Amino acid sequence: MLTFKLSERAVNTPSSPIRRLAPLAAKAKKEGVKVYHLNIGQPDIESPQTFFEGIKDFQSKIVAYENSRGNPFLCDAWAKHYKDILSIDISPENILITQGASEALIFIFMICCDPGDEIVIFDPTYANYLGFAAISGVVLKPVETSLKNNFALPPPEIIEQSISGKTKAILLCNPNNPTGTVYSSDELQSLVEICNKYHLFLIVDETYRELVYDAKKPLSIFNVAYNNDKVMVIDSLSKRFSLCGARIGSLITSNAEILKAALNLAQARLSVSSIEQHAAAYMLNNLESTYVDSMRAEFCRRRNVLFDCLNRIPDITVHKPEGAFYCIVKLPVLNAEDFCTYMLREFRDDNETLFLAPAGGFYMKEERGIDKVRIAYVLSEENLRRAILILEKGLRSYLSKI
Ligand SMILES: Cc1ncc(COP(=O)(O)O)c(C=O)c1O
């Protein structure tokens, strides 16, 4: 028999903690159980009508490759969007269109680092950063943040302790997945200063940028440091425009060398889908002026419902998320993955149950998240209320059994 060995890269790439329990959810559904999905950041909100009009507006008789850099009309429309929402003048030439933020992140890891180089991240972190690091051979260096103080960034001297001779960049997700924390202009400024001091790149993942609540205003790192050639933004239409399946993201920087290197990688993969790019440009150019505010208001209402309902459950710890549509919740259990498995495998309330993401996979040291789950509040208010009631009942049942 032939034996073969997979690459270290393949072996070291972790499975997604969000999807790990998916077979149990699929089984429950097959048995006719209704499963409320709070495990994954897939909003239930309809994609903008103008996106579908844009698809119809695609006139070409051939679905040809698009420019490797991206559809120029989409780059123009995206730059205009920055002007409208953030009052920033981005040159369309500084935007490279990617297959979602995911591809932009893989490109930037590959461009900033050789295998073995390090990127500083804040822990807990978006779990797929671990996958992107494994693909590119990058070592992630975690700076710990904590539920106790709403996952605020630690002072610069603590962050600096994670920087070594191999560090090439700091990566921040703002607003944050999985914590829902929104970082201030001062916090962003202090990261810019650290990067200037140590000659590091600052990569800011702004996938959720406009989803900020209460009195907060959307804030890009470009509002703090635009013409800084160490700074780059990772952007995406997936979440704020409910277009997860369109797979449209971007890498934006004023650094010509980075853009040139990214274009070479982009040429190697040829192009992003031409029809979706056409539709995205059409959508951004014809977006209703109230669209962004209405998305923000909708998720703010959901956040309020979630927070109120969670606060009524005894013995759990939760902080009030300020942005994105996630929060980390500490449960009165020893092992949250075991509890999530119990919910999918055994617990039923009126033939309904709940899918939560165990938070261990969002922490570099899994044990830091062992008693926590990440909740994505992507369901309607009514469904959220029902889902949190199921959580409360499920917890009671689980705790009575162990
Ligand atoms: C923080 C963050 N960055 C990037 C992504 C990937 O987004 P995209 O769908 O644009 O690839 C996600 C998706 O959940 C995310 O939460």
Side-chain angles (χ1 to χ4, degrees), residues 18 41 99-103 105 126 128-129 132 173 175-177 205 207-208 234-239 243-244 247-249 326 374:
I18 305 161
Q99 182 91 7
S102 305
E103 188 183 53
L105 284 156
Y126 172 50
N128 281 348
Y129 293 159
F132 305 147
C173 179
N176 192 276
N177 175 10
D205 181 345
T207 292
Y208 300 92
I234 305 295
D235 207 345
S236 167
L237 300 185
S238 288
K239 310 295 175 157
L243 285 175
C244 292
R247 310 307 304 128
I248 307 273
Y326 304 101
R374 187 201 69 169

